[in-house]
């Protein structure tokens, strides 16, 4: 496919920070993609180039190269940019610039092939020979209480989540919206309106005194739903994002002014997993704690999810697979910086029997690419924040649309 034009511009994300949006044109179609940004980033993520510098480099060096070539496949396009960058962590062109072009190219190619984006991704992921049309929507993991780096409160854990158990996405989404509303009303009564705000991912931020208190609140509402409907409608889960409360010099974690050794933190997690019947726990330890992850991964009945540990990076993932550090993987395309490499990581995890969870970032745009990515990968779950605020809702609205399309197939 030949491109007839290409632009990269600056827009603002949900934290009102500058980010990139790319638009590619072929003879008959055009397609855009914009890039989110993380706050609780690991040390192994692709380099993020300052947006102004990225636009400059694009106009000076990249654009004419792209317009002079014919790219048959996604991999050709992505590999061309990776080679042009020529560094290990995409520090010359920026992971953000390369990814914006890579995702826009995927949308353009899907249009040219007359495919839904999730179908296009699914074909790339499986290869045409093993093609199986996507038949389900991944479980939405709604982050309804925010802490850690995403909120100004005392909670060390970053995300307190609910996962609806409904068989259709539409019903689960509806139930999550009701849950979220009821949670807001309860918090209003307990803390007063002026004490409540929203964190970066649209979950509530309030002066809870401990992680336990936040889980307690979710458990109470979840039980009310149980009494009303007669079935367990929600599982609880959590992203501890332990990097953000790890004190490297002491090899200790700080929770509620108390310092925990890795062994003590293990016991703390164990207590929470059992008390609140957690179905998943993400980043229970810091980004290099492969063996602490392996120990907690022996717990039955709970998915241990790796994010900062693996950083959507094949070599980090291989280390985690070899040490059996987790059994579920967060997929964040901007941690690695191109669609083709994201798919490579997903394939590797899938082959090793891990579950996949496609994730947004805390600074988001209204781009809904990850909804199609999650469906195209037949992921177990998708993390896109609270069922509120436009940049989170855009992903859920696209999933509603996809559910309708799939049900007609
Ligand atoms: P981050 O967190 O984008 O700030 O790194 C995202 C997440 O894990 O949900």
């Amino acid at each position: 496919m030949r491109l007839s034009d290409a632009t990269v511009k600056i827009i603002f994300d949900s934290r009102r920070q500058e980010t990139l949006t790319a638009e590619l044109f072929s003879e008959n179609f055009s397609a855009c993609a914009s890039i989110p940004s993380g706050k609780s980033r690991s040390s192994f993520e692709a380099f993020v180039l300052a947006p102004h510098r990225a636009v400059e480099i694009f106009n000076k060096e990249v654009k004419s190269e792209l317009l002079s070539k014919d790219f048959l496949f996604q991999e050709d396009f992505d590999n061309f940019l990776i080679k042009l960058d020529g560094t290990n962590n995409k520090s010359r062109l920026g992971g953000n610039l390369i990814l914006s072009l890579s995702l826009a190219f995927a949308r353009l190619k899907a249009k040219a092939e007359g495919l839904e984006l999730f179908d296009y991704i699914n074909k790339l992921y499986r290869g045409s020979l093993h093609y199986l049309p996507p038949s389900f929507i991944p479980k939405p993991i709604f982050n309804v209480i925010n802490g850690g780096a995403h909120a100004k409160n005392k909670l060390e854990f970053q995300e307190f989540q609910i996962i609806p158990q409904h068989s259709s996405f539409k019903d689960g989404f509806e139930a999550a919206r009701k849950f979220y509303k009821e949670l807001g009303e309860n918090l209003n009564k307990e803390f007063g309106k002026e004490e409540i705000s929203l964190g970066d991912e649209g979950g509530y931020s309030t002066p809870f005194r401990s992680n336990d208190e936040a889980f307690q609140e979710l458990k109470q509402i979840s039980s009310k739903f149980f009494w009303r409907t007669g079935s367990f409608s929600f599982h609880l889960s959590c992203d501890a994002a332990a990097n953000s409360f790890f004190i490297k010099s002491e090899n200790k974690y700080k929770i509620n002014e108390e310092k925990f050794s890795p062994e003590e933190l293990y016991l703390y997690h164990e207590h929470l997993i059992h008390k609140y019947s957690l179905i998943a726990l993400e980043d229970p330890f810091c980004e290099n704690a492969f063996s602490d992850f392996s120990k907690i991964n022996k717990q039955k009945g709970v998915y241990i999810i790796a994010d900062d540990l693996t950083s959507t990076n094949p070599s980090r993932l291989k280390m985690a697979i070899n040490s059996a550090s987790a059994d579920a993987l967060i997929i964040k395309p901007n941690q690695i910086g191109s669609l083709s490499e994201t798919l490579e990581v997903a394939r590797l995890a899938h082959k090793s029997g891990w579950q996949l969870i496609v994730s947004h970032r805390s600074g988001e745009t209204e781009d809904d690419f990850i909804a199609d990515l999650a469906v195209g990968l037949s992921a177990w779950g998708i993390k896109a924040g609270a069922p509120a605020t436009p940049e989170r809702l855009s992903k859920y609205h696209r999933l509603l649309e996809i559910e309708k399309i799939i049900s007609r197939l």
Side-chain angles (χ1 to χ4, degrees):
M1 187 168 60
R2 277 198 169 272
L3 300 177
S4 56
D5 200 6
T7 63
V8 174
K9 291 185 192 144
I10 291 176
I11 57 168
F12 291 89
D13 69 15
S14 53
R15 279 194 285 250
R16 288 174 285 285
Q17 306 279 321
E18 290 185 343
T19 187
L20 299 176
T21 185
E23 188 165 17
L24 299 181
F25 301 82
S26 64
E27 199 184 335
N28 299 314
F29 303 103
S30 70
C32 288
S34 56
I35 298 305
S37 67
K39 200 189 254 175
S40 65
R41 293 165 46 78
S42 83
S43 320
F44 312 100
E45 300 196 15
F47 188 81
V48 178
L49 197 60
H52 278 98
R53 177 75 191 123
V55 170
E56 214 172 87
I57 260 203
F58 172 76
N59 288 324
K60 238 190 189 156
E61 278 190 45
V62 183
K63 182 172 172 170
S64 55
E65 292 279 353
L66 290 183
L67 299 189
S68 69
K69 308 237 161 4
D70 192 0
F71 297 104
L72 280 184
F73 303 110
Q74 182 78 40
E75 270 202 351
D76 298 341
F77 185 82
D78 292 349
N79 287 342
F80 174 77
L81 288 171
I82 292 166
K83 216 164 155 200
L84 190 64
D85 170 80
T87 67
N88 279 340
N89 64 346
K90 303 188 174 64
S91 56
R92 204 175 78 75
L93 300 184
N96 47 342
L97 174 59
I98 296 178
L99 185 66
S100 67
L101 295 165
S102 171
L103 300 187
F105 184 83
R107 281 206 168 105
L108 192 68
K109 196 82 168 69
K111 281 186 185 174
E113 291 181 15
L115 294 173
E116 288 289 344
L117 182 58
F118 63 82
D119 254 329
Y120 171 76
I121 293 171
N122 184 31
K123 283 192 166 149
L124 286 181
Y125 176 56
R126 292 178 191 275
S128 311
L129 282 180
H130 302 103
Y131 177 68
L132 256 182
S135 56
F136 67 92
I137 304 291
K139 289 181 195 307
I141 303 172
F142 295 100
N143 174 11
V144 290
I145 295 177
N146 289 184
H150 294 165
K152 291 192 184 81
N153 61 29
K154 289 199 179 127
L155 295 177
E156 284 83 10
F157 284 9
Q158 188 171 277
E159 303 178 19
F160 297 81
Q161 305 152 334
I162 54 169
I163 309 181
Q165 294 309 297
H166 304 69
S167 53
S168 83
F169 173 75
K170 184 168 175 274
D171 293 346
F173 181 52
E174 224 16 75
R177 282 160 60 92
K178 286 190 187 139
F179 189 114
Y180 180 77
K181 188 164 174 274
E182 193 160 330
L183 173 61
E185 288 163 359
N186 283 5
L187 297 177
N188 258 333
K189 275 188 218 140
E190 282 165 47
F191 295 99
K193 216 172 175 175
E194 58 293 340
E195 294 290 346
I196 299 173
S197 57
L198 294 188
D200 286 1
E201 296 189 353
Y204 295 108
S205 169
T206 55
F208 284 120
R209 280 165 310 203
S210 66
N211 296 317
D212 239 300
E213 249 184 38
F215 281 122
Q216 199 59 49
E217 188 72 46
L218 298 187
K219 192 175 173 185
Q220 247 175 47
I221 300 180
S222 174
S223 308
K224 277 195 200 156
F225 272 76
F226 173 72
W227 294 118
R228 272 181 224 148
T229 61
S231 61
F232 278 111
S233 315
F234 298 94
H235 281 309
L236 304 187
S237 60
C238 153
D239 177 4
N243 246 356
S244 61
F245 53 93
F246 179 58
I247 311 165
K248 202 171 174 184
S249 55
E250 301 177 31
N251 193 29
K252 293 239 162 114
Y253 296 86
K254 196 168 173 201
I255 299 181
N256 252 344
E257 300 310 318
E258 221 183 297
K259 293 194 180 159
F260 287 63
S261 67
E263 294 72 31
E264 287 163 340
L265 184 60
Y266 173 90
L267 294 174
Y268 180 67
H269 285 316
E270 196 181 38
H271 152 81
L272 294 175
I273 289 169
H274 293 121
K275 186 163 175 195
Y276 300 107
S277 311
L278 300 184
I279 188 181
L281 173 59
E282 180 181 336
D283 281 352
F285 297 98
C286 72
E287 65 182 18
N288 278 317
F290 285 94
S291 59
D292 295 326
F293 266 77
S294 310
K295 191 172 164 207
I296 201 160
N297 194 33
K298 295 197 175 83
Q299 289 272 338
K300 298 270 176 276
V302 56
Y303 283 119
I304 299 301
I305 307 176
D307 174 16
D308 289 341
L309 186 83
T310 38
S311 308
T312 319
N313 179 307
S315 39
R316 301 284 304 174
L317 176 58
K318 278 177 200 155
M319 287 159 74
I321 290 172
N322 289 340
S323 53
S325 295
D327 50 10
L329 180 74
I330 289 287
I331 298 277
K332 289 174 174 168
N334 77 332
Q335 285 182 325
I336 185 76
S338 74
L339 178 60
S340 300
E341 290 164 296
T342 302
L343 300 184
E344 180 196 337
V345 172
R347 277 186 212 107
L348 185 59
H350 179 74
K351 256 198 229 153
S352 301
W354 289 34
Q355 299 288 7
L356 302 175
I357 294 137
V358 172
S359 171
H360 66 159
R361 300 307 303 250
S362 51
E364 265 294 336
T365 71
E366 288 187 38
D367 190 309
D368 56 13
F369 195 98
I370 59 161
D372 286 79
L373 179 63
V375 174
L377 297 182
S378 305
W380 179 82
I382 177 167
K383 276 177 59 174
T389 67
E391 75 286 357
R392 314 292 150 185
L393 287 172
S394 65
K395 284 72 170 167
Y396 296 129
H397 291 160
R398 175 62 182 155
L399 289 171
L400 286 172
E401 216 170 276
I402 297 177
E403 187 165 62
K404 275 196 201 150
I405 299 171
I406 286 180
S407 71
R408 289 198 294 265
L409 293 178

